[in-house]
Amino acid sequence: MSNPWNNRPPRPPGNPPERRRPPRAQEDRSVHAPAPREERVAGASRSELRLYGLNAVHAVFARRPEAIRKVYLTESRIPALKPLLAWCVKQRVGYRVVEEGDLDRLAGSSHHEGVVADVLKVEPMPMGDWLRTLPDGTPVAALWLDGVGNPHNFGAILRSAAHFGVAGILLPRDSTLAISGAAARVAEGGAEQVPLVRMGQTENAAAQLRNAGFSLAATVVRGGDDLFAATLPKRLVYVMGAEGEGMDAQLAAACDTRLSIPGSGAVESLNVAAATAVFLAQWKQRSR
């Protein structure tokens, strides 16, 4: 029995065999992303951070536009972001106009204010490098965050720190605290204004700070000197304790002074973000 595949008509000479292109898949122009975790979102690499919120994105564009890798926005935000979009076109940085629900998924939050951006992270500075950047002869305040972990509190602290001109946020060597999308949004641009500083061993860090002319003030709920009556030095590091547990007792004992915010007693204390704003406002007023 003959093979029917051998009975094809011969191909005309000089004509190449016909090649059929596979059907092209229909391009999907909408953004789809799973609900991300707060600190590391799907779609952004480990070297990138997914920011959201209008002021957070504006601040990155103003201070380090080269860090922007991709932008997603709703159509209603185009007028407010025209300079950024024009820069994206010029620099060939991708941006996409998407729906509100797409941004909800990308940000993992409904509080994105119509814009999400993937940007390069900024790593904390070493303590020695930070100290060399400080101006001589002018008042300087810094915040040592001992165990603060809530991203919304961290964002509020960054916002207050930027408002009052804090020179740096000092992080213990083993601290996992880092800028997240939620912290940056709450900071309303403050995350781009205040440098993060990585300290070494606690004793060494305290010695470095004192050698640079700083005094360390432990902020305690009770038992400290009245903040509003105390004399505050020109170079001051406020050591802020963790939410709930407060600051480490040994660290508090190693500080040069202990300060408390007097109140009515109707509540036990302010939370760490609110307390930070009060401490910084008092330093700002006294350092003039």
Side-chain angles (χ1 to χ4, degrees), residues 61-104:
F61 180 52
R63 291 185 67 88
R64 50 188 189 105
E66 72 284 350
I68 298 172
R69 290 294 176 263
K70 193 155 189 178
V71 178
Y72 306 87
L73 72 158
T74 57
E75 189 171 359
S76 64
R77 279 304 186 197
I78 292 176
L81 294 166
K82 272 187 177 179
L84 170 57
L85 300 181
W87 179 88
C88 286
V89 171
K90 185 176 180 180
Q91 300 298 322
R92 297 185 178 181
V93 172
Y95 75 87
R96 298 181 73 177
V97 177
V98 297
E99 299 298 325
E100 193 88 13
D102 297 321
L103 292 185
D104 291 349

mmCIF file of all heavy atoms in Angstrom, residues 61-104:
data_model
loop_
_atom_site.group_PDB
_atom_site.id
_atom_site.type_symbol
_atom_site.label_atom_id
_atom_site.label_comp_id
_atom_site.label_asym_id
_atom_site.label_seq_id
_atom_site.Cartn_x
_atom_site.Cartn_y
_atom_site.Cartn_z
ATOM 1 N N PHE A 61 10.868 62.097 42.245
ATOM 2 C CA PHE A 61 11.144 62.762 40.975
ATOM 3 C C PHE A 61 11.947 64.039 41.180
ATOM 4 O O PHE A 61 12.835 64.374 40.394
ATOM 5 C CB PHE A 61 9.824 63.069 40.267
ATOM 6 C CG PHE A 61 9.998 63.767 38.943
ATOM 7 C CD1 PHE A 61 10.847 63.241 37.973
ATOM 8 C CD2 PHE A 61 9.317 64.940 38.667
ATOM 9 C CE1 PHE A 61 11.012 63.881 36.736
ATOM 10 C CE2 PHE A 61 9.469 65.587 37.448
ATOM 11 C CZ PHE A 61 10.331 65.055 36.485
ATOM 12 N N ALA A 62 11.685 64.756 42.276
ATOM 13 C CA ALA A 62 12.386 66.012 42.539
ATOM 14 C C ALA A 62 13.837 65.785 42.949
ATOM 15 O O ALA A 62 14.720 66.554 42.574
ATOM 16 C CB ALA A 62 11.653 66.798 43.627
ATOM 17 N N ARG A 63 14.116 64.710 43.720
ATOM 18 C CA ARG A 63 15.454 64.541 44.302
ATOM 19 C C ARG A 63 16.332 63.537 43.559
ATOM 20 O O ARG A 63 17.542 63.681 43.507
ATOM 21 C CB ARG A 63 15.335 64.122 45.769
ATOM 22 C CG ARG A 63 14.794 65.228 46.653
ATOM 23 C CD ARG A 63 14.812 64.823 48.108
ATOM 24 N NE ARG A 63 16.159 64.676 48.622
ATOM 25 C CZ ARG A 63 16.879 65.664 49.145
ATOM 26 N NH1 ARG A 63 16.386 66.891 49.181
ATOM 27 N NH2 ARG A 63 18.088 65.447 49.616
ATOM 28 N N ARG A 64 15.737 62.495 43.017
ATOM 29 C CA ARG A 64 16.558 61.490 42.330
ATOM 30 C C ARG A 64 15.739 60.828 41.202
ATOM 31 O O ARG A 64 15.396 59.652 41.272
ATOM 32 C CB ARG A 64 17.122 60.457 43.301
ATOM 33 C CG ARG A 64 16.117 59.820 44.237
ATOM 34 C CD ARG A 64 16.757 58.937 45.300
ATOM 35 N NE ARG A 64 15.738 58.183 46.021
ATOM 36 C CZ ARG A 64 15.505 56.900 45.859
ATOM 37 N NH1 ARG A 64 16.224 56.182 45.016
ATOM 38 N NH2 ARG A 64 14.558 56.292 46.554
ATOM 39 N N PRO A 65 15.453 61.584 40.172
ATOM 40 C CA PRO A 65 14.633 61.048 39.077
ATOM 41 C C PRO A 65 15.262 59.838 38.397
ATOM 42 O O PRO A 65 14.551 58.980 37.872
ATOM 43 C CB PRO A 65 14.515 62.232 38.108
ATOM 44 C CG PRO A 65 15.669 63.119 38.439
ATOM 45 C CD PRO A 65 15.868 62.967 39.914
ATOM 46 N N GLU A 66 16.598 59.762 38.419
ATOM 47 C CA GLU A 66 17.274 58.634 37.774
ATOM 48 C C GLU A 66 16.954 57.303 38.434
ATOM 49 O O GLU A 66 17.208 56.235 37.862
ATOM 50 C CB GLU A 66 18.791 58.866 37.781
ATOM 51 C CG GLU A 66 19.470 58.738 39.140
ATOM 52 C CD GLU A 66 19.248 59.920 40.074
ATOM 53 O OE1 GLU A 66 18.709 60.959 39.631
ATOM 54 O OE2 GLU A 66 19.621 59.811 41.265
ATOM 55 N N ALA A 67 16.388 57.332 39.650
ATOM 56 C CA ALA A 67 16.033 56.103 40.355
ATOM 57 C C ALA A 67 14.705 55.511 39.878
ATOM 58 O O ALA A 67 14.386 54.367 40.201
ATOM 59 C CB ALA A 67 15.956 56.356 41.862
ATOM 60 N N ILE A 68 13.928 56.268 39.112
ATOM 61 C CA ILE A 68 12.598 55.811 38.700
ATOM 62 C C ILE A 68 12.730 54.779 37.584
ATOM 63 O O ILE A 68 13.417 55.001 36.590
ATOM 64 C CB ILE A 68 11.740 57.001 38.233
ATOM 65 C CG1 ILE A 68 11.540 57.977 39.389
ATOM 66 C CG2 ILE A 68 10.389 56.520 37.696
ATOM 67 C CD1 ILE A 68 10.868 59.278 38.996
ATOM 68 N N ARG A 69 12.072 53.645 37.756
ATOM 69 C CA ARG A 69 12.149 52.561 36.787
ATOM 70 C C ARG A 69 10.847 52.356 36.013
ATOM 71 O O ARG A 69 10.848 51.965 34.867
ATOM 72 C CB ARG A 69 12.543 51.252 37.499
ATOM 73 C CG ARG A 69 13.986 51.256 37.999
ATOM 74 C CD ARG A 69 14.928 51.299 36.800
ATOM 75 N NE ARG A 69 16.335 51.394 37.176
ATOM 76 C CZ ARG A 69 17.008 52.530 37.229
ATOM 77 N NH1 ARG A 69 16.416 53.667 36.951
ATOM 78 N NH2 ARG A 69 18.282 52.536 37.546
ATOM 79 N N LYS A 70 9.704 52.583 36.654
ATOM 80 C CA LYS A 70 8.426 52.436 35.949
ATOM 81 C C LYS A 70 7.356 53.178 36.742
ATOM 82 O O LYS A 70 7.419 53.254 37.970
ATOM 83 C CB LYS A 70 8.042 50.975 35.781
ATOM 84 C CG LYS A 70 6.886 50.772 34.788
ATOM 85 C CD LYS A 70 6.893 49.403 34.156
ATOM 86 C CE LYS A 70 5.875 49.319 33.036
ATOM 87 N NZ LYS A 70 5.879 48.017 32.353
ATOM 88 N N VAL A 71 6.380 53.708 36.000
ATOM 89 C CA VAL A 71 5.304 54.472 36.622
ATOM 90 C C VAL A 71 3.963 53.939 36.125
ATOM 91 O O VAL A 71 3.802 53.647 34.934
ATOM 92 C CB VAL A 71 5.424 55.976 36.278
ATOM 93 C CG1 VAL A 71 4.259 56.762 36.884
ATOM 94 C CG2 VAL A 71 6.759 56.535 36.762
ATOM 95 N N TYR A 72 3.029 53.801 37.046
ATOM 96 C CA TYR A 72 1.649 53.433 36.716
ATOM 97 C C TYR A 72 0.752 54.535 37.278
ATOM 98 O O TYR A 72 0.926 54.969 38.419
ATOM 99 C CB TYR A 72 1.249 52.102 37.361
ATOM 100 C CG TYR A 72 2.180 50.957 37.066
ATOM 101 C CD1 TYR A 72 3.304 50.729 37.864
ATOM 102 C CD2 TYR A 72 1.926 50.070 36.016
ATOM 103 C CE1 TYR A 72 4.164 49.669 37.608
ATOM 104 C CE2 TYR A 72 2.776 49.011 35.762
ATOM 105 C CZ TYR A 72 3.889 48.815 36.563
ATOM 106 O OH TYR A 72 4.739 47.756 36.303
ATOM 107 N N LEU A 73 -0.228 54.965 36.518
ATOM 108 C CA LEU A 73 -1.093 56.038 36.982
ATOM 109 C C LEU A 73 -2.466 55.919 36.361
ATOM 110 O O LEU A 73 -2.629 55.297 35.307
ATOM 111 C CB LEU A 73 -0.492 57.400 36.669
ATOM 112 C CG LEU A 73 -0.477 57.854 35.196
ATOM 113 C CD1 LEU A 73 -0.371 59.373 35.127
ATOM 114 C CD2 LEU A 73 0.692 57.223 34.442
ATOM 115 N N THR A 74 -3.442 56.530 37.025
ATOM 116 C CA THR A 74 -4.781 56.607 36.446
ATOM 117 C C THR A 74 -4.845 57.819 35.514
ATOM 118 O O THR A 74 -4.044 58.755 35.616
ATOM 119 C CB THR A 74 -5.842 56.761 37.541
ATOM 120 O OG1 THR A 74 -5.552 57.928 38.317
ATOM 121 C CG2 THR A 74 -5.881 55.548 38.449
ATOM 122 N N GLU A 75 -5.814 57.803 34.623
ATOM 123 C CA GLU A 75 -5.949 58.896 33.658
ATOM 124 C C GLU A 75 -6.158 60.236 34.354
ATOM 125 O O GLU A 75 -5.670 61.279 33.902
ATOM 126 C CB GLU A 75 -7.120 58.601 32.706
ATOM 127 C CG GLU A 75 -7.214 59.566 31.548
ATOM 128 C CD GLU A 75 -8.236 59.126 30.511
ATOM 129 O OE1 GLU A 75 -8.855 58.058 30.699
ATOM 130 O OE2 GLU A 75 -8.404 59.866 29.529
ATOM 131 N N SER A 76 -6.867 60.219 35.489
ATOM 132 C CA SER A 76 -7.148 61.474 36.196
ATOM 133 C C SER A 76 -5.889 62.123 36.758
ATOM 134 O O SER A 76 -5.889 63.314 37.079
ATOM 135 C CB SER A 76 -8.148 61.220 37.333
ATOM 136 O OG SER A 76 -7.581 60.345 38.301
ATOM 137 N N ARG A 77 -4.800 61.357 36.898
ATOM 138 C CA ARG A 77 -3.561 61.897 37.460
ATOM 139 C C ARG A 77 -2.609 62.445 36.386
ATOM 140 O O ARG A 77 -1.552 62.991 36.716
ATOM 141 C CB ARG A 77 -2.842 60.821 38.275
ATOM 142 C CG ARG A 77 -3.367 60.631 39.678
ATOM 143 C CD ARG A 77 -3.324 61.928 40.451
ATOM 144 N NE ARG A 77 -3.705 61.736 41.854
ATOM 145 C CZ ARG A 77 -4.057 62.725 42.649
ATOM 146 N NH1 ARG A 77 -4.070 63.967 42.170
ATOM 147 N NH2 ARG A 77 -4.381 62.498 43.898
ATOM 148 N N ILE A 78 -2.960 62.324 35.123
ATOM 149 C CA ILE A 78 -2.067 62.803 34.062
ATOM 150 C C ILE A 78 -1.740 64.288 34.224
ATOM 151 O O ILE A 78 -0.565 64.677 34.142
ATOM 152 C CB ILE A 78 -2.655 62.488 32.682
ATOM 153 C CG1 ILE A 78 -2.644 60.969 32.439
ATOM 154 C CG2 ILE A 78 -1.885 63.209 31.589
ATOM 155 C CD1 ILE A 78 -3.290 60.548 31.138
ATOM 156 N N PRO A 79 -2.721 65.178 34.471
ATOM 157 C CA PRO A 79 -2.370 66.605 34.612
ATOM 158 C C PRO A 79 -1.375 66.871 35.747
ATOM 159 O O PRO A 79 -0.456 67.676 35.586
ATOM 160 C CB PRO A 79 -3.727 67.276 34.887
ATOM 161 C CG PRO A 79 -4.739 66.350 34.282
ATOM 162 C CD PRO A 79 -4.189 64.978 34.509
ATOM 163 N N ALA A 80 -1.552 66.210 36.874
ATOM 164 C CA ALA A 80 -0.667 66.448 38.018
ATOM 165 C C ALA A 80 0.731 65.891 37.801
ATOM 166 O O ALA A 80 1.677 66.318 38.470
ATOM 167 C CB ALA A 80 -1.279 65.837 39.284
ATOM 168 N N LEU A 81 0.881 64.946 36.879
ATOM 169 C CA LEU A 81 2.165 64.275 36.686
ATOM 170 C C LEU A 81 2.770 64.549 35.309
ATOM 171 O O LEU A 81 3.656 63.817 34.873
ATOM 172 C CB LEU A 81 1.982 62.764 36.887
ATOM 173 C CG LEU A 81 1.618 62.346 38.312
ATOM 174 C CD1 LEU A 81 1.127 60.902 38.347
ATOM 175 C CD2 LEU A 81 2.807 62.505 39.244
ATOM 176 N N LYS A 82 2.335 65.612 34.649
ATOM 177 C CA LYS A 82 2.837 65.906 33.304
ATOM 178 C C LYS A 82 4.361 66.042 33.242
ATOM 179 O O LYS A 82 5.005 65.480 32.341
ATOM 180 C CB LYS A 82 2.177 67.170 32.760
ATOM 181 C CG LYS A 82 0.868 66.898 32.026
ATOM 182 C CD LYS A 82 0.341 68.167 31.367
ATOM 183 C CE LYS A 82 -0.923 67.849 30.572
ATOM 184 N NZ LYS A 82 -1.474 69.076 29.943
ATOM 185 N N PRO A 83 5.004 66.775 34.165
ATOM 186 C CA PRO A 83 6.473 66.867 34.092
ATOM 187 C C PRO A 83 7.152 65.509 34.223
ATOM 188 O O PRO A 83 8.121 65.223 33.511
ATOM 189 C CB PRO A 83 6.829 67.797 35.254
ATOM 190 C CG PRO A 83 5.591 68.601 35.489
ATOM 191 C CD PRO A 83 4.462 67.660 35.211
ATOM 192 N N LEU A 84 6.636 64.669 35.119
ATOM 193 C CA LEU A 84 7.211 63.334 35.290
ATOM 194 C C LEU A 84 7.026 62.502 34.028
ATOM 195 O O LEU A 84 7.965 61.828 33.571
ATOM 196 C CB LEU A 84 6.555 62.639 36.484
ATOM 197 C CG LEU A 84 6.860 61.146 36.663
ATOM 198 C CD1 LEU A 84 8.358 60.898 36.784
ATOM 199 C CD2 LEU A 84 6.119 60.588 37.865
ATOM 200 N N LEU A 85 5.858 62.550 33.425
ATOM 201 C CA LEU A 85 5.600 61.760 32.225
ATOM 202 C C LEU A 85 6.450 62.241 31.052
ATOM 203 O O LEU A 85 6.948 61.433 30.263
ATOM 204 C CB LEU A 85 4.106 61.816 31.873
ATOM 205 C CG LEU A 85 3.155 61.278 32.945
ATOM 206 C CD1 LEU A 85 1.714 61.369 32.473
ATOM 207 C CD2 LEU A 85 3.506 59.847 33.342
ATOM 208 N N ALA A 86 6.629 63.562 30.947
ATOM 209 C CA ALA A 86 7.495 64.089 29.892
ATOM 210 C C ALA A 86 8.930 63.614 30.085
ATOM 211 O O ALA A 86 9.624 63.271 29.119
ATOM 212 C CB ALA A 86 7.440 65.619 29.887
ATOM 213 N N TRP A 87 9.365 63.572 31.337
ATOM 214 C CA TRP A 87 10.714 63.068 31.637
ATOM 215 C C TRP A 87 10.807 61.584 31.281
ATOM 216 O O TRP A 87 11.820 61.147 30.726
ATOM 217 C CB TRP A 87 11.032 63.295 33.106
ATOM 218 C CG TRP A 87 12.382 62.795 33.518
ATOM 219 C CD1 TRP A 87 13.562 63.473 33.478
ATOM 220 C CD2 TRP A 87 12.682 61.489 34.025
ATOM 221 N NE1 TRP A 87 14.584 62.675 33.932
ATOM 222 C CE2 TRP A 87 14.074 61.452 34.268
ATOM 223 C CE3 TRP A 87 11.921 60.357 34.302
ATOM 224 C CZ2 TRP A 87 14.714 60.317 34.772
ATOM 225 C CZ3 TRP A 87 12.557 59.229 34.797
ATOM 226 C CH2 TRP A 87 13.934 59.221 35.029
ATOM 227 N N CYS A 88 9.773 60.818 31.590
ATOM 228 C CA CYS A 88 9.765 59.387 31.260
ATOM 229 C C CYS A 88 9.908 59.178 29.748
ATOM 230 O O CYS A 88 10.661 58.304 29.304
ATOM 231 C CB CYS A 88 8.478 58.737 31.757
ATOM 232 S SG CYS A 88 8.393 58.505 33.549
ATOM 233 N N VAL A 89 9.188 59.976 28.969
ATOM 234 C CA VAL A 89 9.283 59.855 27.512
ATOM 235 C C VAL A 89 10.702 60.170 27.048
ATOM 236 O O VAL A 89 11.294 59.444 26.241
ATOM 237 C CB VAL A 89 8.264 60.795 26.827
ATOM 238 C CG1 VAL A 89 8.509 60.843 25.328
ATOM 239 C CG2 VAL A 89 6.840 60.338 27.122
ATOM 240 N N LYS A 90 11.273 61.245 27.571
ATOM 241 C CA LYS A 90 12.615 61.665 27.159
ATOM 242 C C LYS A 90 13.664 60.632 27.538
ATOM 243 O O LYS A 90 14.605 60.367 26.781
ATOM 244 C CB LYS A 90 12.949 63.013 27.802
ATOM 245 C CG LYS A 90 14.269 63.594 27.359
ATOM 246 C CD LYS A 90 14.486 64.969 27.960
ATOM 247 C CE LYS A 90 15.816 65.560 27.514
ATOM 248 N NZ LYS A 90 16.043 66.911 28.103
ATOM 249 N N GLN A 91 13.527 60.036 28.725
ATOM 250 C CA GLN A 91 14.517 59.075 29.222
ATOM 251 C C GLN A 91 14.170 57.621 28.875
ATOM 252 O O GLN A 91 14.870 56.711 29.285
ATOM 253 C CB GLN A 91 14.636 59.207 30.752
ATOM 254 C CG GLN A 91 15.063 60.583 31.222
ATOM 255 C CD GLN A 91 16.430 60.969 30.723
ATOM 256 O OE1 GLN A 91 17.327 60.140 30.645
ATOM 257 N NE2 GLN A 91 16.590 62.250 30.382
ATOM 258 N N ARG A 92 13.084 57.436 28.167
ATOM 259 C CA ARG A 92 12.626 56.103 27.781
ATOM 260 C C ARG A 92 12.346 55.206 28.996
ATOM 261 O O ARG A 92 12.684 54.027 29.024
ATOM 262 C CB ARG A 92 13.643 55.431 26.848
ATOM 263 C CG ARG A 92 13.812 56.181 25.543
ATOM 264 C CD ARG A 92 14.713 55.454 24.577
ATOM 265 N NE ARG A 92 14.813 56.168 23.308
ATOM 266 C CZ ARG A 92 15.526 55.746 22.271
ATOM 267 N NH1 ARG A 92 16.198 54.602 22.362
ATOM 268 N NH2 ARG A 92 15.580 56.450 21.169
ATOM 269 N N VAL A 93 11.749 55.806 29.993
ATOM 270 C CA VAL A 93 11.290 55.075 31.177
ATOM 271 C C VAL A 93 9.819 54.750 30.966
ATOM 272 O O VAL A 93 9.023 55.631 30.611
ATOM 273 C CB VAL A 93 11.487 55.909 32.454
ATOM 274 C CG1 VAL A 93 10.834 55.236 33.657
ATOM 275 C CG2 VAL A 93 12.975 56.140 32.717
ATOM 276 N N GLY A 94 9.445 53.501 31.170
ATOM 277 C CA GLY A 94 8.080 53.084 30.885
ATOM 278 C C GLY A 94 7.060 53.650 31.858
ATOM 279 O O GLY A 94 7.319 53.755 33.058
ATOM 280 N N TYR A 95 5.904 54.024 31.316
ATOM 281 C CA TYR A 95 4.766 54.357 32.182
ATOM 282 C C TYR A 95 3.504 53.841 31.514
ATOM 283 O O TYR A 95 3.442 53.704 30.293
ATOM 284 C CB TYR A 95 4.679 55.865 32.457
ATOM 285 C CG TYR A 95 4.177 56.717 31.322
ATOM 286 C CD1 TYR A 95 2.815 56.936 31.132
ATOM 287 C CD2 TYR A 95 5.077 57.330 30.452
ATOM 288 C CE1 TYR A 95 2.359 57.731 30.091
ATOM 289 C CE2 TYR A 95 4.634 58.127 29.412
ATOM 290 C CZ TYR A 95 3.271 58.323 29.237
ATOM 291 O OH TYR A 95 2.821 59.112 28.212
ATOM 292 N N ARG A 96 2.498 53.551 32.349
ATOM 293 C CA ARG A 96 1.239 53.003 31.838
ATOM 294 C C ARG A 96 0.064 53.658 32.540
ATOM 295 O O ARG A 96 0.083 53.844 33.762
ATOM 296 C CB ARG A 96 1.180 51.485 32.047
ATOM 297 C CG ARG A 96 2.271 50.734 31.308
ATOM 298 C CD ARG A 96 2.161 49.240 31.525
ATOM 299 N NE ARG A 96 1.031 48.688 30.787
ATOM 300 C CZ ARG A 96 0.739 47.393 30.755
ATOM 301 N NH1 ARG A 96 1.486 46.533 31.425
ATOM 302 N NH2 ARG A 96 -0.286 46.960 30.061
ATOM 303 N N VAL A 97 -0.928 53.998 31.754
ATOM 304 C CA VAL A 97 -2.189 54.503 32.297
ATOM 305 C C VAL A 97 -3.090 53.297 32.520
ATOM 306 O O VAL A 97 -3.378 52.546 31.581
ATOM 307 C CB VAL A 97 -2.833 55.515 31.333
ATOM 308 C CG1 VAL A 97 -4.182 55.982 31.880
ATOM 309 C CG2 VAL A 97 -1.898 56.693 31.109
ATOM 310 N N VAL A 98 -3.508 53.107 33.759
ATOM 311 C CA VAL A 98 -4.235 51.903 34.141
ATOM 312 C C VAL A 98 -5.488 52.282 34.928
ATOM 313 O O VAL A 98 -5.758 53.453 35.183
ATOM 314 C CB VAL A 98 -3.333 50.965 34.992
ATOM 315 C CG1 VAL A 98 -2.131 50.486 34.186
ATOM 316 C CG2 VAL A 98 -2.877 51.656 36.265
ATOM 317 N N GLU A 99 -6.233 51.256 35.300
ATOM 318 C CA GLU A 99 -7.460 51.466 36.056
ATOM 319 C C GLU A 99 -7.166 51.508 37.557
ATOM 320 O O GLU A 99 -6.126 51.037 38.025
ATOM 321 C CB GLU A 99 -8.462 50.346 35.755
ATOM 322 C CG GLU A 99 -8.873 50.265 34.300
ATOM 323 C CD GLU A 99 -9.578 51.508 33.813
ATOM 324 O OE1 GLU A 99 -10.321 52.119 34.622
ATOM 325 O OE2 GLU A 99 -9.378 51.888 32.648
ATOM 326 N N GLU A 100 -8.115 52.049 38.296
ATOM 327 C CA GLU A 100 -7.972 52.160 39.753
ATOM 328 C C GLU A 100 -7.710 50.807 40.399
ATOM 329 O O GLU A 100 -6.863 50.674 41.281
ATOM 330 C CB GLU A 100 -9.251 52.780 40.337
ATOM 331 C CG GLU A 100 -9.124 53.237 41.764
ATOM 332 C CD GLU A 100 -8.614 54.661 41.878
ATOM 333 O OE1 GLU A 100 -8.590 55.384 40.867
ATOM 334 O OE2 GLU A 100 -8.229 55.038 42.991
ATOM 335 N N GLY A 101 -8.436 49.788 39.959
ATOM 336 C CA GLY A 101 -8.265 48.457 40.536
ATOM 337 C C GLY A 101 -6.882 47.881 40.279
ATOM 338 O O GLY A 101 -6.356 47.122 41.100
ATOM 339 N N ASP A 102 -6.295 48.208 39.119
ATOM 340 C CA ASP A 102 -4.939 47.759 38.840
ATOM 341 C C ASP A 102 -3.958 48.341 39.851
ATOM 342 O O ASP A 102 -3.061 47.662 40.332
ATOM 343 C CB ASP A 102 -4.524 48.161 37.425
ATOM 344 C CG ASP A 102 -5.368 47.505 36.350
ATOM 345 O OD1 ASP A 102 -5.699 46.316 36.524
ATOM 346 O OD2 ASP A 102 -5.694 48.167 35.355
ATOM 347 N N LEU A 103 -4.136 49.625 40.182
ATOM 348 C CA LEU A 103 -3.261 50.251 41.167
ATOM 349 C C LEU A 103 -3.467 49.661 42.554
ATOM 350 O O LEU A 103 -2.515 49.519 43.324
ATOM 351 C CB LEU A 103 -3.484 51.763 41.197
ATOM 352 C CG LEU A 103 -3.055 52.541 39.957
ATOM 353 C CD1 LEU A 103 -3.230 54.038 40.193
ATOM 354 C CD2 LEU A 103 -1.628 52.234 39.566
ATOM 355 N N ASP A 104 -4.700 49.311 42.878
ATOM 356 C CA ASP A 104 -4.968 48.646 44.161
ATOM 357 C C ASP A 104 -4.128 47.382 44.284
ATOM 358 O O ASP A 104 -3.549 47.101 45.342
ATOM 359 C CB ASP A 104 -6.455 48.283 44.293
ATOM 360 C CG ASP A 104 -7.358 49.496 44.442
ATOM 361 O OD1 ASP A 104 -6.834 50.608 44.662
ATOM 362 O OD2 ASP A 104 -8.594 49.329 44.335
#
